[in-house]
Amino acid sequence: GVFCVYLLNYLVLEPGEALFLNANEPHAYLFGDCIECMAESDNVVRAGLTPKFKDVDVLCEMLTYDDGPPYMVPPLLIDGGAERYIAPVPEFLVDRAMVEAGGAVLLPASPFVSIVVVVEGRGKLEELVRQQPQLGGGANSVDGLVHAVRQGSVFMACAGTALQVRAEERLLIFRATAKHDLAEAEAAGGGGAPSLPTTTAASASASA
């Protein structure tokens, strides 16, 4: 474990930057805070620098041994004012919203369940539920529950629910959900979600 430092890339992430780590790639956090989104996995393997079980033989067998620079994931500005990080795997995506005091950002509805984490600040989180289209008319968004949020708050948002975020003081919020296409989500109108592919152990980290 000690000698891994000579083989790994050293990278300092600035706030808002993100990188992608594929399955079977070793990594270590040195300091600071970040949001990590990881596909379903039960195969964490350790090689050293921990009192937990270490399986060096399995680790040496599973590593990819690919070298090269870190795979950075640039944020994309989406409708509503949030930033979206789209990893090169089908399992997940992450949204980030930095909202100044008195401002508001809309996180568009996802056809999947979402997990929302408030990292900084205080404000209100309003659920906007999209109704199913009625005969002779289109679908409309209706007001739902309003939650008071602050640093450390964690919420689960149901499929088809957009989130209106209003900041009483500077607010930093992240949302993780399964990967989807915004146009498909809009067309689905909050209905049944498409099926998910088989998961891998890939992960993405965004600096807070």
Side-chain angles (χ1 to χ4, degrees):
V2 173
F3 293 102
C4 283
V5 297
Y6 298 107
L7 304 175
L8 302 179
N9 292 297
Y10 176 74
L11 179 66
V12 177
L13 286 175
E14 298 296 333
E17 292 186 331
L19 63 87
F20 171 76
L21 295 166
N22 212 337
N24 301 329
E25 290 183 356
H27 62 283
Y29 297 107
L30 300 181
F31 63 90
D33 298 321
C34 71
I35 293 292
E36 180 178 9
C37 185
M38 183 175 179
E40 232 182 342
S41 172
D42 62 356
N43 62 351
V44 174
V45 180
R46 303 172 184 89
L49 303 181
T50 176
K52 298 179 181 179
F53 175 71
K54 296 175 281 291
D55 196 332
V56 178
D57 292 337
V58 170
L59 181 71
C60 292
E61 180 182 344
M62 65 183 283
L63 289 180
T64 60
Y65 296 99
D66 293 333
D67 59 359
Y71 190 115
M72 303 301 294
V73 181
L76 302 175
L77 187 64
I78 59 176
D79 290 343
E83 294 178 315
R84 174 157 292 181
Y85 301 87
I86 302 177
V89 290
E91 287 85 7
F92 57 80
L93 58 81
V94 176
D95 292 332
R96 176 183 185 268
M98 174 65 80
V99 192
E100 297 298 332
V105 164
L106 178 67
L107 296 174
S110 166
F112 300 99
V113 170
S114 302
I115 298 295
V116 180
V117 180
V118 180
V119 176
E120 175 187 333
R122 180 168 54 89
K124 302 290 185 183
L125 180 69
E126 182 179 6
E127 301 179 22
L128 303 176
V129 182
R130 187 174 173 85
Q131 294 178 316
Q132 293 297 327
Q134 304 296 319
L135 185 63
N140 296 312
S141 292
V142 296
D143 295 343
L145 297 174
V146 178
H147 309 277
V149 299
R150 60 188 305 169
Q151 184 179 26
S153 297
V154 180
F155 290 92
M156 185 194 79
C158 294
T161 303
L163 301 172
Q164 182 79 48
V165 182
R166 301 185 184 277
E168 297 173 2
E169 59 185 48
R170 187 179 181 183
L171 189 67
L172 176 58
I173 190 168
F174 288 86
R175 177 181 69 171
T177 186
K179 198 171 186 178
H180 62 275
D181 181 84
L182 277 175
E184 290 180 1
E186 181 70 17
S195 59
L196 282 172
T198 303
T199 58
T200 62
S203 65
S205 298
S207 177

